[in-house]
Structure formats: structure tokens, C-alpha cells
Amino acid sequence: MPQHQLQLYSRDATATAIQPPLSQAVGYVIVVVVGMIIATVMMLVTKILSKTVGEDNRKTEMFMTANRTVRTGLTASAVVSSWLWSTAMLGSSLVGYTYGMAGPFWFAAGCSPMIVFFALLGISCKRKIPEAHTSLEVVRVRYGRIAHVVFMVLCLINNIFACANMLLGASAAISGMTGMHIIAATFLLPVGVSIYTFVGGIKATFLTDYFHTVVILLITCYFSIKAFTFSKIGSVSHLYDLVKAAGLRHPVEGNYQGTYLTMTSKEAILFGIIHVCTNFGLVIMDTSYFIKAFSASPAAVVPGYTIGGIGYFAIPWALGTVMSSVALGLENTPSFPTYPRRMTSSEVSAGLVLPYAALTIAGKGGAAAVVLITFMAVTSTLSAQVIAVSSIISFDIYREYFNKGATDAQIIRWSHFGVVFFALFSAGFSTMLYYVGADLQWTLYMLGVVTCPGIFPMVFTILWRRQNTAAAILSPVLGMATGLAVWLGTAHRFYGEVTVSSTGQVLPCVYGTVASAFSPIPYSIIITLLTKPQNYDWADFKKERLALEKLDSDQTTSYSLDPNASGKRQDDVNEVEAGPTTPERELKRWGRIAAFWSIATFLGHWVIWPLPMYGSHYIFGKGFFVAWVIVAIIWLWGTMLMATIYPLIDGGIEQMLQVYRGLVLLWRQQQQQNETHHENDVRGENQQDEKEGKTGVATSSTGSTESTDLRAD
């Protein structure tokens, strides 16, 4: 086995542990107290929005899709947040430490094109089936219940392994910095998420996404500057000297001339293939991305996902490049936590490169900052996963198979059940993986094997009218079987055994992921051609009644809803035959824009930029390295400004003013009610006094008469 490949060893605390720089109390405060504070604030915000602007989370359309009115700024911020996994920060530094400059670049390039491509799928769904809540509803409407169940299983597998990937990396980093028990972190991290998602639904997810994204980006920008104010680094050019020296001390097998300062890295490009396929699967097979697309207004889907996707590129690229370079350059100095030894493979694969680098340049404050951003990242992305699974349980299981005429209250009750169930299940599943020896690197590398089989069958469902039901059902199942067989077979072929260690290596994961992702294409086409190809009429999607409430005119045509009705709308045929409306033409225009940016982003991030550098065997000079790092940092700061300020400009300030006016109105109404109550009390007292006065007069008059009578006697 090549020495440069990371191996997954059993956890030996005596061999790998450093003394945690922070106390356990800090870990529990961040994970529990900060989590509960955020949950409480979001519950309060949800209540205020309900009282002031009428966002009633007792209504399903608001709880699950935010009434489909989220604007571009908040959509872009939510897209960035959806990809701000703890893996993005921990993993990009991991591959940077392992492969050098190529690692963080390929990590970022494996994300952005997929995010931008989803804009095309999102706007296609908005145009063809605007009332849908989840991607699984699209599958059921087109292919029926068997395909629906198959894709439901694939989506749940995707969500389960995605959560495990997040929790394993986050809990290891928090445990390494605070000494908090890793299982305690695994189970406590989802608690706050479950509470605010339970109460606020998708709008709470959008709002917490924004808050978490701002905090994370501010801290990553801080690290991007702090690294160069640290005395042993001082400047970007000196960091270059340190990284160059590290390559001479520890040449990287597979890199050109063994240097970290090149894009010609065989292992890095193989990781890039794994990562791009895996993330394609994570996007397409994660219903939370479809939910956020359905939640966005039609005009916000394409610009929101495009801006968010391109902006996101800078985060793993800049942070991974800077912090892995710090670790490589300083690990032979007394300031590095593991000195005089290098980081062990167990520490690297657990995702501790970023925490150790932060501890080196910023001390305990840096360690606390990493714990905080790890917590923010994992809770933000977990909220999207939790709402995704709760939507499957409520819409795709309960409403479809148990209660077709389900009311708002019933659907939301099952959504709540889904939130609690999945939070517990994901923590338990992650614990199981931990105890069998899996960690961040293992899940990061093998994730695509289980997430990719449904990619192209799902894309064909939305974009290709010829795929038939048999192909939709069989191709992902055959793809999963093919991917697993290739993954396990190549692990045995190359390493002589099928273990956690061998299945976590680069080559088996590359072969398995590619087989899972691309084998369904020929399976689907061959099965479709051998059986009867479908000629699906996209207008049939709009005949299915999925929304529980009337939608705005820019979403679909308005109509009245009967809560006890099911099936088609009465005026469907007339509406469909009436021809394309102005919104329809607008959505098609957005579709063309989305297709352009999808192609441009993929070519830019995957072909035009990196491949010539790979083929030329170029080694970074000092000037080029300085430019590389500075451009990455500028891009990172631009992303921070976009994610922070754009949502405020694009409707955020307007809604805050609406909330303020609503609170003022409520206060005035309360004052009027108090004044009315006071006037009523005063009026009541006066009436009581008058009544008592009249009674006194009558008594006095009666007494006088009696006296007169007595005198007369």
C-alpha cells in the first residue's frame, strides 16, 4: 500500500491524542447552551413573524415551503449555508494537508458546478410541477408508487449517510478541542436543530442558515488574515517558503516532483472525481435542495443558486489552502500542537488539520472559534437534512399511503414526528459507524457509492420525457448494485481484504463512485428502448393537486381547494389548453439562463482552469502562489459580503420594517385595549357610584316619609 495514502486505524487515544486546549465545559456550553439559545431565539422570531406579517407555521405551505416567496438574497445565503458542512471546512483542510494546493481546489470544484446545475432542475420543477413539495412527489406523479418507494429509499440513504458524514467530522473536532466525549457531542448536536425546525419549519431553517452563515464566514475571514499576522509566518511569501520546505522534508507520492505546490497531483484529481460525483448525488438525491428551490420565488431560483454556487467556491478553496499550508509549514516547529511528531494518519483522517492549525496561529481562541464554526456548520446543514426527512415522512409516506385527505394539522404533526425521529436515528447511526472504525475520511470518500445511483434517473424524470417506468425503477437499483460490487471488489483486488481500512482508500472509492453514478445511464436508456419508451406530456404534472392552499398567480393558476377532494383540479384541462402565459415564458427564459451558467461553471471550474495546470506539470512560483492565495482570500471576503449584506438589501430590511410596523401596531392595539378596559372599569365604577347614590337618595326619602308619618301619628 503506498505510504502517502491515508489509512483508517483504530482509535488509540494514547497514540494520537493531544491535551485538549479547552475544557469540556466549553464544549457543552457551545453545543448545548448556544444551541438552546439559538433555538429559543428562532422560536421567538417565528412567533413574531406569525403575529406581525402573517407567516402562520400551522399552515403546511408555510411550514414546508415558506409560501414559495423566499427572495434571491436569502436563497443565495441558504444555498451557501446548505453546503457549509463541517466537512467543507474540515475536509478541505484535510485534502490540502494530504495533496497540497490541488486538494482544496478540487474540493471546491466538486461543489460549485453541482450547486449551479441544480438551478436548472429547480426552475424546471417550478415550471412543470409548481405545486410539489418534494422531488419524490414528482417521481410518484410520473411513474407511480413502486418508483416512488424506490426513490424514497435512495433519498433516505442519501440523508442518513450525509448526516453521518457531518456528525462524525464535527464531533471528532469538538472532542479533540474540548475533551467532550465524542458520543455526547454526536447526540447533543441535533438537539437545538430539532427544536427550532420542529417549531419554525423551512422558514426557520432559512433564517438560521443566514445567521450561521454570517458567523462562519466572519470567522473564516478572520483565519484568512490571522494566519499572516502570526509571527512565524508574517506574509504570504514566507508561507510559500514554509510549504516548499515541507515538500522537501516529506515528498508527496503522486505529486509532480513530490511538491505540495502543484496542481499535478494524481491522488488529488482522483479525489476530485470522487467529490464531484458524490456532490452531484448529494444535490440531486437530497430533497432539502428541492424544498429550498420550491420555497424560493420563481424569479429567485436561478440567480439564488447561481450566485450561491459561485460564491461558495471560495470557502473550501481559501480556507483549505491557507489552513493546510499553515499546518504543513509549522508542524515541525514547537508552536504546533503535535510537535515534535507529525500528525498521525488517524488525526488527519478525523479532520483535525483545521483545529490544530487554528490552535497554532490563534491559541485557545482559535480552538474555540473552530468549535463554534463546526457547531454552526453541522447544525445549519442538519436542519436542512431534518426538514428533508420530515417532508418525506409527512408528504410521501403519511399523506400518500395513510391519509390522502390529510389536513394541515395532521401533516405538520407527522412532520414534527419526522424531525424528532430522524434527529435520534442519525445520531445513533453515526455512533454505530464510529464504533466500527469509520470516520470523516471514510465517509467523505465512500459517500458517492451510495448517493449516486439515483442521479441520472432523477434528472431524466425532470428533463427527459422518454424514460419509462421500468427504467426509472430498475436503473437506480442496478446502479446501486453495480457501484457496491465494484467498490468492494476493487478494495479486495488492490488491498487483499474488504475492511473499513481498504474500502476507505482512494482507488476503490473512485471506481465504486463512478460505477454508481454513470452505470444507470446505459441501464436507463437500454431498458427504455427495449420496452416501450414513454412520451410524457409535461402538462400532466399540473393536473395533479399537491398544494393544500391556493398559490399565487406567478406560481400557478388560482383555484379553490376542497380539503376533502383529491386528484385533479376541475378546470385543469381548460388551463392547460389555454396556452403558455407570461409567467411560463419567463420561466423558460430562466431555464435557458440556468443551462448557460451550469455549463459555464462546470467548464470553468473543472476544465479550463485546472486541467491545463495539471497537464503542464507546473510548480507554483512564489509570485504565482501569492496571487493564488490573495485571489482566494478576496473571493472569500466577497462571498462573506454577499451572504451577509445581499439578503438584507433584497427584502431583509423591508421585512424587518414590516415586523417593526407590525409590532408597533400590536403595541398600539394593546394600548387601546388597555385604555378601553380602563374606560370600561371607570364607567363601571361611575355607574356603580350612581347606583349607590340613587339607592342612598331613595333610602333617605323613605326615611323622611316614615318620620313624617310618625309625627303625624
Side-chain angles (χ1 to χ4, degrees):
M1 185 185 301
Q3 292 182 353
H4 74 281
Q5 290 183 341
L6 294 176
Q7 301 181 47
L8 301 172
Y9 299 109
S10 60
R11 293 173 177 77
D12 183 352
T14 61
T16 64
I18 66 167
Q19 186 66 30
L22 305 173
S23 68
Q24 288 190 31
V26 175
Y28 282 102
V29 165
I30 291 177
V31 173
V32 179
V33 178
V34 174
M36 295 304 295
I37 291 173
I38 293 173
T40 303
V41 170
M42 287 315 307
M43 291 166 64
L44 179 62
V45 169
T46 299
K47 186 173 182 180
I48 290 174
L49 289 173
S50 176
K51 294 285 188 182
T52 56
V53 295
E55 293 186 356
D56 187 359
N57 280 295
R58 293 171 297 179
K59 296 292 186 181
T60 303
E61 292 300 320
M62 183 64 217
F63 186 85
M64 297 304 302
T65 64
N67 285 335
R68 307 170 198 262
T69 57
V70 179
R71 294 191 183 184
T72 301
L74 194 55
T75 299
S77 177
V79 167
V80 172
S81 179
S82 295
W83 279 96
L84 266 181
W85 293 21
S86 53
T87 315
M89 295 170 290
L90 301 173
S92 61
S93 300
L94 182 159
V95 294
Y97 180 89
T98 307
Y99 308 129
M101 297 300 103
F105 181 91
W106 285 118
F107 197 106
C111 300
S112 287
M114 302 305 104
I115 301 172
V116 177
F117 174 77
F118 192 82
L120 177 60
L121 293 184
I123 201 65
S124 297
C125 288
K126 296 289 270 188
R127 181 168 65 89
K128 295 172 182 176
I129 184 164
E131 292 186 17
H133 306 87
T134 70
S135 56
L136 295 174
E137 288 180 331
V138 179
V139 174
R140 178 186 59 78
V141 171
R142 179 166 176 180
Y143 299 121
R145 287 187 167 184
I146 296 177
H148 183 234
V149 171
V150 169
F151 276 85
M152 191 188 307
V153 172
L154 292 172
C155 288
L156 289 172
I157 290 173
N158 178 83
N159 291 122
I160 290 167
F161 275 90
C163 284
N165 180 246
M166 288 182 254
L167 287 173
L168 285 170
S171 57
I174 292 172
S175 176
M177 291 295 97
T178 66
M180 182 180 182
H181 196 285
I182 196 167
I183 303 305
T186 301
F187 274 90
L188 290 174
L189 281 169
V191 171
V193 177
S194 301
I195 293 174
Y196 70 70
T197 308
F198 186 98
V199 175
I202 191 68
K203 187 58 177 285
T205 300
F206 271 101
L207 295 175
T208 49
D209 281 351
Y210 172 74
F211 172 70
H212 288 179
T213 302
V214 170
V215 173
I216 292 169
L217 287 174
L218 287 173
I219 292 176
T220 54
C221 288
Y222 162 77
F223 282 142
S224 72
I225 300 301
K226 179 63 178 176
F228 305 106
T229 62
F230 184 61
S231 58
K232 289 184 172 57
I233 297 177
S235 66
V236 182
S237 60
H238 188 228
L239 183 62
Y240 170 85
D241 295 332
L242 293 173
V243 175
K244 184 177 181 179
L248 296 175
R249 289 194 306 271
H250 308 288
V252 184
E253 186 177 340
N255 279 23
Y256 180 64
Q257 295 187 4
T259 179
Y260 290 103
L261 297 165
T262 182
M263 287 291 290
T264 308
S265 171
K266 178 183 175 182
E267 297 294 321
I269 198 169
L270 289 176
F271 168 76
I273 294 171
I274 294 174
H275 201 52
V276 75
C277 294
T278 298
N279 286 322
F280 203 3
L282 287 172
V283 170
I284 305 303
M285 301 309 295
D286 187 346
T287 56
S288 69
Y289 287 95
F290 283 90
I291 290 173
K292 287 185 177 180
F294 291 137
S295 300
S297 66
V301 174
V302 175
Y305 274 80
T306 303
I307 294 170
I310 294 174
Y312 173 84
F313 181 90
I315 300 170
W317 180 37
L319 184 68
T321 298
V322 172
M323 300 306 277
S324 64
S325 297
V326 168
L328 289 168
L330 297 180
E331 68 177 347
N332 66 327
T333 66
S335 58
F336 201 74
T338 63
Y339 181 82
R341 63 175 176 85
R342 295 196 75 193
M343 294 180 66
T344 66
S345 56
S346 295
E347 288 173 313
V348 175
S349 62
L352 296 180
V353 176
L354 174 62
Y356 285 1
L359 181 61
T360 301
I361 62 174
K364 291 185 177 180
V370 169
V371 173
L372 181 60
I373 63 174
T374 301
F375 166 76
M376 290 287 188
V378 75
T379 52
S380 181
T381 47
L382 267 178
S383 67
Q385 300 297 316
V386 166
I387 200 74
V389 174
S390 71
S391 71
I392 293 174
I393 291 174
S394 57
F395 280 98
D396 294 296
I397 297 178
Y398 175 69
R399 188 188 182 198
E400 177 60 26
Y401 296 104
F402 294 96
N403 187 358
K404 292 285 283 187
T407 62
D408 281 318
Q410 291 171 326
I411 291 176
I412 290 177
R413 186 184 307 120
W414 278 86
S415 295
H416 290 164
F417 169 76
V419 167
V420 175
F421 166 77
F422 187 65
L424 291 173
F425 182 85
S426 60
F429 185 78
S430 301
T431 301
M432 181 273 293
L433 288 178
Y434 171 79
Y435 279 115
V436 300
D439 58 14
L440 172 65
Q441 185 212 325
W442 187 83
T443 54
L444 182 65
Y445 279 24
M446 64 72 58
L447 195 58
V449 177
V450 294
T451 62
C452 290
I455 294 174
F456 287 100
M458 177 64 80
V459 171
F460 291 160
T461 298
I462 299 170
L463 301 180
W464 186 37
R465 66 174 73 241
R466 306 293 288 176
Q467 179 175 256
N468 61 21
T469 303
I473 294 171
L474 294 176
S475 59
V477 176
L478 294 173
M480 175 75 80
T482 302
L484 290 173
V486 171
W487 177 45
L488 300 177
T490 51
H492 187 273
R493 170 66 180 81
F494 289 124
Y495 304 103
E497 59 182 2
V498 178
T499 62
V500 173
S501 176
S502 66
T503 56
Q505 302 304 324
V506 174
L507 287 178
C509 292
V510 169
Y511 287 120
T513 299
V514 171
S516 282
F518 293 101
S519 64
I521 297 177
Y523 289 146
S524 177
I525 294 173
I526 291 170
I527 294 171
T528 295
L529 296 178
L530 290 178
T531 56
K532 184 179 180 181
Q534 202 176 56
N535 187 21
Y536 192 73
D537 185 357
W538 301 120
D540 288 345
F541 272 141
K542 294 183 180 179
K543 297 177 182 178
E544 190 77 12
R545 204 212 84 189
L546 297 172
L548 275 73
E549 300 174 28
K550 172 181 172 181
L551 301 182
D552 294 335
S553 59
D554 63 343
Q555 297 281 343
T556 186
T557 49
S558 62
Y559 59 95
S560 61
L561 291 177
D562 178 0
N564 298 316
S566 61
K568 310 291 191 280
R569 288 178 281 175
Q570 295 177 353
D571 54 344
D572 281 326
V573 177
N574 292 335
E575 290 169 359
V576 172
E577 293 178 352
T581 61
T582 301
E584 175 74 9
R585 289 195 295 271
E586 185 70 8
L587 291 174
K588 286 184 177 181
R589 185 179 73 86
W590 279 119
R592 292 191 293 270
I593 294 173
F596 168 79
W597 279 107
S598 299
I599 296 170
T601 306
F602 181 80
L603 291 177
H605 290 172
W606 247 89
V607 180
I608 298 172
W609 185 351
L611 293 187
M613 296 185 68
Y614 180 89
S616 66
H617 297 81
Y618 178 71
I619 296 177
F620 289 21
K622 181 174 290 189
F624 188 86
F625 177 82
V626 170
W628 183 272
V629 172
I630 289 177
V631 169
I633 292 174
I634 292 173
W635 197 333
L636 175 65
W637 279 72
T639 300
M640 184 270 292
L641 294 175
M642 178 275 293
T644 303
I645 298 175
Y646 188 19
L648 297 178
I649 298 173
D650 186 33
I653 295 176
E654 179 183 336
Q655 184 163 63
M656 285 190 283
L657 290 175
Q658 290 176 350
V659 170
Y660 171 75
R661 287 193 291 265
L663 290 173
V664 170
L665 181 61
L666 288 174
W667 181 79
R668 289 176 178 173
Q669 290 175 346
Q670 185 64 42
Q671 289 295 106
Q672 291 175 354
Q673 290 177 358
N674 292 338
E675 291 175 1
T676 302
H677 289 157
H678 179 69
E679 291 174 357
N680 290 338
D681 291 342
V682 171
R683 189 179 297 112
E685 291 175 359
N686 291 337
Q687 290 175 349
Q688 184 66 26
D689 291 342
E690 291 177 2
K691 183 177 180 181
E692 290 176 356
K694 291 179 180 178
T695 303
V697 171
T699 303
S700 175
S701 175
T702 303
S704 301
T705 304
E706 291 177 351
S707 301
T708 304
D709 291 340
L710 288 172
R711 285 196 301 272
D713 290 339

